[in-house]
Amino acid sequence: MAKTDGPALVETVRSWPGVSLRPHRFGGTEFVVNGKEIGHMHGNRLFDLLLSKSERDRWIEEGKASPHHIYPDSGWVSVYLKTEQDIACAIEIARFKYDQIKLKGRRT
């Protein structure tokens, strides 16, 4: 059975090529690729990502993320890691963001 908290997410995201971890400026752990933040963890139960407003709205409408826990009207989303499905959603969104960053890196 998969873990239902942050370590399962951390293990997956850090396994992607070029991803490194570093302390996040507001506490927690930040995932970085090509010098850009994919997202960051607060403890083992909360994952935040910055997206375009249209992508933010899409993930929220699909029920895979929630408006950010502090800045609900921003481009940030939060994923509360309570179940295996939450972990899967967080990984899906993180992979989307990772792919976006890698694609932009190839264009420049």
Side-chain angles (χ1 to χ4, degrees):
M1 176 180 273
K3 296 176 190 170
T4 56
D5 62 8
L9 175 62
V10 172
E11 289 170 19
T12 299
V13 177
R14 75 184 306 174
S15 73
W16 299 339
V19 172
S20 60
L21 303 176
R22 66 183 181 200
H24 183 65
R25 65 189 176 278
F26 298 122
T29 302
E30 183 173 287
F31 303 93
V32 179
V33 65
N34 295 350
K36 306 283 185 194
E37 179 182 347
I38 298 168
H40 60 271
M41 297 282 301
H42 295 284
N44 286 332
R45 298 283 183 179
L46 179 59
F47 185 51
D48 292 332
L49 302 97
L50 179 61
L51 305 167
S52 69
K53 284 285 219 163
S54 62
E55 284 301 324
R56 169 205 178 270
D57 293 346
R58 177 176 74 95
W59 292 109
I60 291 170
E61 286 172 14
E62 290 180 9
K64 295 180 178 181
S66 299
H68 189 265
H69 58 104
I70 297 175
Y71 303 107
D73 297 324
S74 71
W76 287 94
V77 296
S78 294
V79 181
Y80 294 91
L81 308 174
K82 298 175 185 171
T83 67
E84 288 182 22
Q85 183 60 39
D86 296 336
I87 296 290
C89 290
I91 290 169
E92 182 181 358
I93 300 167
R95 186 63 195 215
F96 170 82
K97 179 75 183 259
Y98 170 87
D99 289 343
Q100 277 190 320
I101 293 169
K102 295 293 274 185
L103 183 61
K104 283 183 182 178
R106 279 187 242 138
R107 286 191 209 146
T108 56

